[in-house]
């Protein structure tokens, strides 16, 4: 790894454990390929983004709303939607095609799982998923179908037509907007 860092100086910008995880993932992929459990690995270039893992060094501060990672010790502001107890094992940072970043935190709870309360007729609700109504509960409550795709289909058609006529390099900003609209349509 030190030889690669002298050859490619941009590798020094990244946490060394993240680089080791990338090598471990590559080794697992080739091992699975050679044993017949998977396909030949695809080349992933640095510019495509994607995701990376940070093992054992992530810290989450719920009061400040930050995630602290190596090379970002002051913390990165985050929307933390779920509290957890336990030690952080791995933090995976992922970038979506729309340019948003998400962090998935793998936690070892260090405790026994909570026992679940068995359902009783008082606390059970039946849910029916449908097309006309998105869902209907057994209590008669109906939620309307938002139909995100139908709302965005005209804009998707225009952008896909525009992207298909441009060379690959010139269509990157159009493809980014396509990803954003597609993500909104699938919510």
């Amino acid at each position: 790894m030190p030889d690669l860092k002298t050859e490619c100086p941009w590798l020094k910008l990244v946490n060394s454990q993240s680089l080791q995880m990338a090598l471990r993932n590559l080794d697992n992929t080739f091992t699975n390929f050679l044993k017949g459990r998977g396909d030949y690995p695809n080349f992933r270039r640095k510019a495509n983004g994607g995701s990376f893992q940070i093992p054992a060094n992530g810290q989450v501060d719920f009061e400040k709303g930050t995630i602290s990672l190596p090379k970002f010790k002051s913390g990165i502001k985050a929307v933390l939607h779920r509290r957890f107890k336990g030690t952080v094992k791995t933090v995976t940072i992922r970038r979506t095609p729309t340019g948003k970043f998400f962090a998935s935190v793998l936690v070892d709870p260090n405790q026994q799982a909570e026992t679940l309360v068995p359902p009783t007729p008082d606390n059970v609700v039946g849910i029916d998923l449908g097309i006309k109504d998105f869902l209907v509960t057994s209590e008669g409550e109906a939620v309307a179908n938002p139909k995100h795709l139908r709302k965005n289909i005209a804009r998707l058609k225009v952008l896909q037509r525009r992207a298909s006529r441009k060379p690959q390099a010139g269509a990157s900003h159009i493809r980014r907007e396509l990803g954003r609209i597609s993500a909104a349509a699938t919510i």
Side-chain angles (χ1 to χ4, degrees):
M1 190 63 69
D3 298 337
L4 277 175
K5 285 187 178 182
T6 57
E7 187 178 319
C8 303
W10 54 267
L11 287 174
K12 293 179 183 175
L13 300 173
V14 183
N15 177 23
S16 62
Q17 291 177 336
S18 298
L19 296 174
Q20 291 168 358
M21 284 297 290
L23 286 175
R24 187 175 302 148
N25 291 340
L26 179 67
D27 181 49
N28 289 340
T29 305
F30 268 108
T31 302
N32 288 337
F33 167 67
L34 294 174
K35 290 186 177 181
R37 294 186 299 224
D39 295 333
Y40 187 80
N42 294 327
F43 176 72
R44 308 261 160 107
R45 60 181 69 213
K46 180 185 95 159
N48 289 349
S51 67
F52 66 95
Q53 294 175 322
I54 303 163
N57 280 335
Q59 296 172 346
V60 179
D61 188 356
F62 291 107
E63 282 72 37
K64 293 181 182 176
T66 60
I67 298 176
S68 298
L69 304 171
K71 307 276 185 171
F72 297 99
K73 288 296 182 188
S74 61
I76 301 169
K77 287 185 182 179
V79 177
L80 304 170
H81 64 90
R82 189 178 303 167
R83 289 184 170 265
F84 56 83
K85 294 178 182 174
T87 57
V88 175
K89 301 296 277 182
T90 306
V91 178
T92 303
I93 306 293
R94 179 176 56 92
R95 188 179 78 190
T96 62
T98 59
K100 293 181 180 178
F101 288 89
F102 291 91
S104 302
V105 182
L106 177 66
V107 179
D108 183 15
N110 298 336
Q111 61 194 23
Q112 297 295 329
E114 298 177 15
T115 57
L116 298 176
V117 178
T120 62
D122 300 340
N123 63 4
V124 174
V125 175
I127 297 175
D128 178 31
L129 297 176
I131 295 174
K132 182 178 153 223
D133 292 322
F134 181 65
L135 69 90
V136 179
T137 65
S138 59
E139 298 169 350
E141 182 182 345
V143 177
N145 192 347
K147 299 184 180 176
H148 294 294
L149 182 62
R150 187 164 292 171
K151 291 176 186 174
N152 293 311
I153 197 82
R155 184 70 181 147
L156 275 171
K157 281 182 183 177
V158 169
L159 289 173
Q160 286 172 338
R161 199 176 305 126
R162 204 180 288 170
S164 69
R165 293 178 183 156
K166 289 192 183 282
Q168 186 71 22
S172 62
H173 66 283
I174 294 174
R175 293 191 197 290
R176 199 173 313 118
E177 189 176 351
L178 263 170
R180 182 183 59 77
I181 292 175
S182 297
T186 57
I187 290 176

